[in-house]
Amino acid sequence: MAAPLAGELTRVVRFERATLVDDGLGMVERWAPHGRSQRAKRTDLSDGERWRAAEIGASVTTRFVLKRTAFTADLTPKDRLSCDGLSFGISGIREQAADPRFLELTCTARTDR
């Protein structure tokens, strides 16, 4: 995949990081904004539906390409990404082969919620 042109970074993405907090009954995971929003290129790779244990689930797998910065290089699959009203779990992060100034994030979101 070639490096994106500036005009192709049309999506605004935001990141969230989970922290453990005590809710009075025990430790629970709470998502909080992490860092500033970033510009990215979005490419949907696949979508699908699952039928398992009487549940119907729909999801989309998407690749986001964004500039590599000190902040984006610190992202991990424990973080999540928000774009266009969907929350995406990050399943993979890699340096873009064509241009190491960019990172590719492979993400999956449930589209039935």
Side-chain angles (χ1 to χ4, degrees):
M1 178 182 271
L5 302 172
E8 293 179 319
L9 301 175
T10 58
R11 305 297 176 117
V12 175
V13 297
R14 292 174 181 79
F15 296 94
E16 296 177 330
R17 184 163 277 177
T19 57
L20 289 177
V21 295
D22 188 350
D23 70 350
L25 298 174
M27 300 300 282
V28 295
E29 202 173 64
R30 293 269 165 86
W31 291 95
H34 178 60
R36 295 178 12 185
S37 59
Q38 305 285 317
R39 308 276 313 165
K41 177 181 176 183
R42 177 180 172 170
T43 306
D44 290 337
L45 302 177
S46 67
D47 59 356
E49 294 180 357
R50 283 188 308 241
W51 294 56
R52 185 181 319 148
E55 176 192 14
I56 300 172
S59 65
V60 63
T61 301
T62 302
R63 180 168 294 135
F64 292 94
V65 177
L66 49 123
K67 281 192 166 198
R68 181 188 184 104
T69 63
F71 169 73
T72 58
D74 186 49
L75 294 171
T76 71
K78 292 181 181 179
D79 299 320
R80 73 179 179 189
L81 177 151
S82 296
C83 180
D84 299 332
L86 293 173
S87 289
F88 291 84
I90 300 172
S91 57
I93 301 172
R94 66 180 184 162
E95 194 174 81
Q96 194 176 40
D99 191 339
R101 296 175 301 158
F102 292 90
L103 293 176
E104 291 180 3
L105 279 65
T106 303
C107 306
T108 304
R110 292 284 301 258
T111 56
D112 58 348
R113 294 183 180 169

